[in-house]
Amino acid sequence: MARIETHAIAVEPEWVQPTEIVEAAVRKAGQAVRGRPLLIEGGADRMFVRIDPRLTTVAVAQLLENAAHYSPPGTPINVRSSVLSGELTITVQDRGPGIPPQDVPRLFESFYRGANARQHVAGTGMGLAIARGLLAAQGGRVEGRNAPEGGAVFTIAAPAESRTEIALDEETE
Ligand SMILES: Nc1ncnc2c1ncn2[C@@H]1O[C@H](COP(=O)(O)OP(=O)(O)O)[C@@H](O)[C@H]1O
Ligand SMILES: [Mg+2]
């Protein structure tokens, strides 16, 4: 199996608000999510986490692109962020047909594309492998499953210090 070497990725944590990461990911996903209602929840106003915003944004953008590619045009996509027990989680949920069950164990392999993708949607099969590598570099993970009510749910989780405000001296670090 192909393996991503994560040790070469430079991790540069900064104090950021989870909503900033979600907003940057939406901008990065760009055209792919245009016209999709995005239901964004969480990210209590003054909460900051210490995480690499660049790497995390790229990973969330991949999940958003997939949610848009693999669910019907016009259907909403939910994005929820939360900070709990030293961990930031960001969840992306769509209203599509979900992940074919036989593909669930293999989604994160490099170049792997599911049965729902091979014929219909252009792609490389690298999006989730990259997302996994970007999270692994920060000691985090990405998981995908089908929601009981239908649709796919992908969650990124990364260890992150958190606080409600940043001290001025750290802002300029
Ligand atoms: N939101 C989703 N709903 C259903 N299947 C998905 C979703 N996201 C990813 N997948 C499945 O996971 C596979 C791997 O995703 P990815 O690594 O981004 O590659 P690609 O999108 O280029 O095929 C996809 O081919 C698809 O089968
Ligand atoms: Mg993809």
Side-chain angles (χ1 to χ4, degrees):
M1 191 177 87
R3 205 176 115 76
I4 292 189
E5 297 295 337
T6 55
H7 62 261
I9 299 176
V11 179
E12 293 168 20
E14 285 172 32
W15 286 104
V16 289
Q17 293 187 285
T19 47
E20 294 175 60
I21 292 177
V22 171
E23 283 161 16
V26 170
R27 283 195 299 274
K28 192 161 179 58
Q31 190 64 41
V33 293
R34 206 142 291 155
R36 305 301 293 263
L38 298 174
L39 310 177
I40 297 173
E41 300 162 48
D45 275 359
R46 302 190 67 92
M47 191 61 108
F48 286 79
V49 290
R50 193 162 150 80
I51 195 163
D52 187 314
R54 206 171 39 94
L55 303 183
T56 311
T57 294
V58 173
V60 175
Q62 284 297 339
L63 302 186
L64 283 171
E65 268 183 40
N66 280 347
H69 281 154
Y70 300 111
S71 67
T75 57
I77 298 168
N78 291 75
V79 185
R80 294 185 196 89
S81 61
S82 64
V83 183
L84 201 69
S85 326
E87 195 170 70
L88 166 71
T89 66
I90 299 177
T91 296
V92 177
Q93 179 165 6
D94 63 51
R95 314 278 172 94
I99 308 155
Q102 72 275 18
D103 293 323
V104 172
R106 301 195 59 189
L107 294 183
F108 295 93
E109 291 176 21
S110 297
F111 306 112
Y112 189 81
R113 308 201 70 214
N116 56 345
R118 287 174 211 141
Q119 277 134 39
H120 309 290
V121 188
T124 59
M126 281 303 293
L128 291 177
I130 290 168
R132 169 169 279 188
L134 296 175
L135 266 296
Q138 307 182 69
R141 59 189 192 280
V142 191
E143 286 161 8
R145 62 185 174 84
N146 288 313
E149 66 270 31
V153 191
F154 284 84
T155 302
I156 70 161
E161 276 181 80
S162 64
R163 56 176 66 167
T164 49
E165 283 176 44
I166 32 174
L168 282 175
D169 57 334
E170 279 170 324
E171 215 168 359
T172 51
E173 239 173 36

